[in-house]
Amino acid sequence: MKISYKDFKVGKCEGQKVVDGETMPLVLQPPEPNKSDTESLISALEQSKDWFEQMLIKNSAVLLRGFDVKNAEDFNDIIEAFGWDDIRYIGPAPRTNVYKRIWTANEGPLSEFIYFHHEMVLIKESPKKVVFFCEIPPPEGGQTPFVPSFRVTERMLEEFPEAVEEVEAKGLKYTLTALSKGDTSSMRGRGWDDAFGTSDKAEAERRHAHLHYLKWLPNGGAKTILGPRSLTKVFDGRKGRRLWFNTVVGMHGKESSSATLADGTEIPENFVKRRGQIIEEESIQFKWEKGDVLFLDNMALLHGRRPSFPPRKVLVATCK
């Protein structure tokens, strides 16, 4: 599909790569210097919804850069311009609602690396789109790298064909412990009441009946076991690609989580280590600029966060 639309100019950014004919991220800038205001941007987005979504699915990542997006209110207006349904974040990362559909990104220590993941990969209904807005870029570090998920599957099948199919056949089981109360000193410091969206245990159990196992711990926390889950998935509109839609690297062998085969046996260490290396090798390094709005196809891309010095303020919205 030809990349053209009268209200945008196609640009470039640091770290941009072409993967299997797709430009990641596709950079869209104001067509003229006097068209950078948020009102003009929102008008353009409202008129190009279908085209924009096609570009997002085709390229997996689309960056709006050079527009005068100042704050959470502007960001929310951009999100609502598309008419996409909201999907509430469920997971262990500490986050705070800022304005309407806009939340802080993971509030865990900036000094820590956030492992590559598909957003809410363990939940029955994952968001199709994850959208970030940079209000304050970090002075150093703090990139949001992302990875074409199909490349991980391709390379793992090249190196571990039998192991990949064995794990796929058996399925995966994840164990995660949620704290009794929120703790922003940890990347996974969200209390179970915030993570589950209720402080009522019976309601939490009802809402999460799809969990294989939910146990209340003596210290007030909650232990969840999910499984079996698949190793890869194929989604409509993604060229039939087999996507690495799991979170083994992020949960295997961690202090508050684990990932095993569904029958409880351990995943071979060399399998886990090598997939982590491949994900890193395939990663695209995205460096923030003030006012950036980055759209990610959550079905197609893993993403993470590099360590940084403060301040860094990146907000997020998740959409169906």
Side-chain angles (χ1 to χ4, degrees), residues 69-90:
V69 186
K70 295 186 179 71
N71 50 40
E73 289 81 358
D74 290 345
F75 182 33
N76 187 77
D77 289 343
I78 290 170
I79 297 300
E80 292 190 343
F82 290 98
W84 297 328
D85 290 335
D86 187 33
I87 184 167
R88 187 184 188 279
Y89 173 73
I90 298 174

Side-chain angles (χ1 to χ4, degrees), residues 6-21:
K6 61 183 178 62
D7 289 311
F8 299 103
K9 180 177 70 175
V10 177
K12 296 182 179 180
C13 70
E14 182 180 335
Q16 189 180 50
K17 288 175 64 174
V18 176
V19 182
D20 196 24

